[in-house]
Amino acid sequence: MPLFIVRHQHSPEACPARDPTMGVMLLNHLSRPSAARHGVVIKGEAVIRGAHTLFFIAEAADEGALEAFLTPFRQVGEVEVMAASTCAEVVASGGCDAPPTDISAALLDPAHACQDAIDGGLLVHRAYPLNGETSVPDLAGGAVMPNGRFYLRNHFDIPNLDGERYRLSVGGLVERPLSLSMRDLRNLHAESLVVTLECAGNGRSLFDPAVPGEAWGMGAVSTAEWTGVPLIELIERAGPRPGATQLTFRGADGGTVEGHDAPIRFERGLTVDQIREAGALLAYEMNGEPLSPPHGFPLRLVVPGWYAVASVKWLTEIIVTDRPCEAHYQVEKYWYEWTRNGHDERAPVTLMNVRALIASPDQGESLPRGETAIRGVAWSGAGSIASVDVSLNGGPWREARLVGERRRSAWQWWELITRLDETGPLIVRARATDMAGRTQPEHAEWNRLGYGNNSIHCVTAQLI
Ligand SMILES: Nc1nc2c(c(=O)[nH]1)N[C@H]1C(S)=C(S)[C@@H](COP(=O)(O)O)O[C@H]1N2
Ligand SMILES: [Mo]
């Protein structure tokens, strides 16, 4: 419903609030149920003290309905009605003077999506397309992140797909092309897996010199329990023809990108062997709820162990082929690019690097001295976590205790409880090592697009 700001002003002599009967009549008129009878939703109202001026913010189906509701105020003074937007709408449409965005039914309203992300507690980087990270102290707690706090990374507008009309097509070099409704998919054998997704750009803002791209802090990572169909079972059902070893995954989202004249769709590729080995899922549930539109409703790919760009959201097509995917986000982005010994080198972004994150204490937090708990998460795309070491104030590395279940593709909680009796700064560093023997570098190698930053996390707190 359209939003309005209403200003009502009267002369001091005509102040209706001075007359108790009149005042109460207006209060009743302004009550939520009375407004609702006029088709008006009042979001908030207040009077400027001493100025005989009332403001209120209201939603109404149209200006006519609002005007009818305002009649008692017109009788005692002047009324001004102004068309308004939420702050999220203004940011999403590109400024106070930009025309309101015309949202096709096929897209999620970016202002609402942005407002939900902010209300959920995400640190929003950009409203359009919507990108927001999980606040690191929020990581402390459960094994999974609540859906509203799970970071969001989008390259384009968010599709608003109709789950009833949705079909997943599996075609290309297959014996039996498939077209599956959500009901068909839900009737197939399902699995649930706890999987950590991390954006390859997580930690990008900590590279020095700065690199272009979304300036993620440390929170472009979250964990959820995903439920859906093991992808390999579906591919086998379709029956790849001989030589058809590659898969291209196409999302419903798209738009224009640098270097391409025509709009593109979000696409990524993997080999049949890679999805089998990773145990990829076609997920329709996240922590026991249907996927939300920003996380890929009604169906997304989840590729355990891989940087999350592989986990295509709003998945509408799987194309089985004998050729590697050549999409923009496969060949032009998501590559590590370095200059080493005067030579340009590049390597594709694949499995997540091993990494530990300190969730508590928070950067800048004041802690009482005495018994102190240092806690966080650690994960790796190459296997489960073997150990996490913590160093306090530059001291020796001490092994933290691993907490909870050890899972192959989900983060591992760890903690170190120790006595710290001196007040002053407390510098905490944490370093993870995975079962494959990989550990974290002091400083991850700088690369042109800022991917895979797994430098050792360091937090400074104060003991008081
Ligand atoms: N269709 C589509 N899938 C996508 C993306 C996208 O923009 N479009 N972004 C990818 C990237 S880079 C990341 S990090 C994850 C983010 O998933 P989330 O928003 O559910 O956290 O989705 C991946 N899948
Ligand atoms: Mo990402």
Side-chain angles (χ1 to χ4, degrees):
M1 279 210 290
L3 190 68
F4 299 92
I5 295 176
V6 177
R7 190 184 68 98
H8 159 66
Q9 195 166 26
H10 47 250
S11 66
E13 300 74 43
C15 180
R18 276 205 191 122
D19 169 353
T21 322
M22 184 71 160
V24 163
M25 191 279 278
L26 285 175
L27 270 188
N28 283 323
H29 186 69
L30 271 177
S31 71
R32 281 9 181 209
S34 143
R37 282 195 290 278
H38 288 83
V40 172
V41 179
I42 298 180
K43 309 293 246 182
E45 72 275 54
V47 167
I48 305 178
R49 279 194 173 275
H52 297 279
T53 304
L54 159 75
F55 274 94
F56 68 87
I57 299 174
E59 280 177 353
D62 55 59
E63 210 170 321
L66 187 59
E67 280 296 344
F69 175 66
L70 293 170
T71 309
F73 295 96
R74 287 229 185 265
Q75 285 162 356
V76 290
E78 58 184 73
V79 172
E80 192 185 352
V81 175
M82 293 163 274
S85 297
T86 62
C87 299
E89 269 162 5
V90 165
V91 173
S93 66
C96 290
D97 46 7
T101 27
D102 180 20
I103 304 306
S104 90
L107 297 176
L108 198 67
D109 180 340
H112 285 174
C114 175
Q115 191 72 59
D116 285 350
I118 289 171
D119 293 347
L122 287 191
L123 307 172
V124 171
H125 281 252
R126 188 189 299 262
Y128 204 48
L130 181 57
N131 286 321
E133 66 183 279
T134 300
S135 104
V136 171
D138 283 352
L139 297 176
V144 298
M145 289 309 297
N147 293 353
R149 291 198 175 170
F150 197 105
Y151 84 95
L152 279 169
R153 170 58 168 131
N154 300 300
H155 291 80
F156 302 110
D157 297 327
I158 299 175
N160 189 19
L161 301 182
D162 176 343
E164 293 293 316
R165 287 172 40 206
Y166 170 87
R167 294 288 181 282
L168 171 69
S169 88
V170 184
L173 300 178
V174 290
E175 301 297 341
R176 295 168 291 278
L178 306 172
S179 170
L180 302 160
S181 68
M182 282 315 295
R183 186 191 297 259
D184 298 332
L185 286 158
R186 281 180 176 271
N187 282 335
L188 297 176
H189 161 240
E191 269 178 20
S192 293
L193 277 180
V194 180
V195 175
T196 294
L197 293 188
E198 183 189 14
C199 181
N202 194 27
R204 176 180 287 138
S205 66
L206 287 95
F207 272 122
D208 183 19
V211 283
E214 201 67 78
W216 298 109
M218 303 290 259
V221 57
S222 300
T223 299
E225 184 188 50
W226 308 93
T227 302
V229 180
L231 174 58
I232 190 67
E233 294 178 15
L234 205 69
I235 298 299
E236 281 167 0
R237 188 178 279 249
R241 299 236 178 99
T245 55
Q246 306 274 340
L247 304 170
T248 292
F249 303 95
R250 182 173 293 160
D253 55 331
T256 48
V257 293
E258 221 188 292
H260 292 251
D261 296 333
I264 61 159
R265 295 273 285 278
F266 186 89
E267 286 177 1
R268 288 280 303 180
L270 289 167
T271 67
V272 174
D273 287 343
Q274 285 166 336
I275 61 109
R276 181 186 292 112
E277 201 162 306
L281 274 188
L282 293 172
Y284 43 75
E285 270 176 24
M286 181 176 180
N287 294 327
E289 289 173 19
L291 290 177
S292 65
H295 287 296
F297 178 85
L299 193 75
R300 79 176 296 170
L301 187 58
V302 171
V303 190
W306 285 65
Y307 275 116
V309 65
S311 294
V312 177
K313 304 194 275 187
W314 314 288
L315 182 67
T316 54
E317 278 162 76
I318 303 176
I319 302 138
V320 183
T321 97
D322 53 4
R323 274 173 222 174
C325 170
E326 290 190 344
H328 171 69
Y329 291 110
Q330 188 76 34
V331 297
E332 286 154 34
K333 292 285 165 86
Y334 296 97
W335 283 75
Y336 299 104
E337 295 180 357
W338 313 273
T339 306
R340 286 169 167 166
N341 308 321
H343 295 285
D344 286 342
E345 288 181 26
R346 75 198 296 253
V349 164
T350 58
L351 299 181
M352 296 183 289
N353 288 336
V354 59
R355 185 166 206 185
L357 213 59
I358 301 158
S360 159
D362 191 13
Q363 176 63 31
E365 188 177 334
S366 295
L367 303 170
R369 67 201 169 94
E371 187 106 315
T372 306
I374 316 288
R375 291 199 173 90
V377 288
W379 67 93
S380 165
S384 45
I385 292 298
S387 60
V388 174
D389 298 300
V390 175
S391 158
L392 303 174
N393 288 334
W397 291 107
R398 291 162 63 183
E399 194 162 343
R401 190 172 75 85
L402 302 185
V403 182
E405 249 176 272
R406 185 172 266 165
R407 293 189 170 98
R408 185 164 89 114
S409 304
W411 65 30
Q412 170 84 54
W413 279 93
W414 52 265
E415 67 177 17
L416 180 82
I417 296 174
T418 184
R419 262 205 92 75
L420 297 167
D421 288 321
E422 276 175 49
T423 58
L426 173 66
I427 301 168
V428 183
R429 299 190 326 135
R431 182 187 68 188
T433 304
D434 66 20
M435 289 294 199
R438 300 195 311 179
T439 191
Q440 293 180 248
E442 196 74 37
H443 295 288
E445 189 175 6
W446 188 95
N447 59 94
R448 208 167 60 76
L449 299 173
Y451 296 125
N453 185 354
N454 69 335
S455 303
I456 291 173
H457 190 200
C458 177
V459 155
T460 305
Q462 280 291 329
L463 286 168
I464 50 172

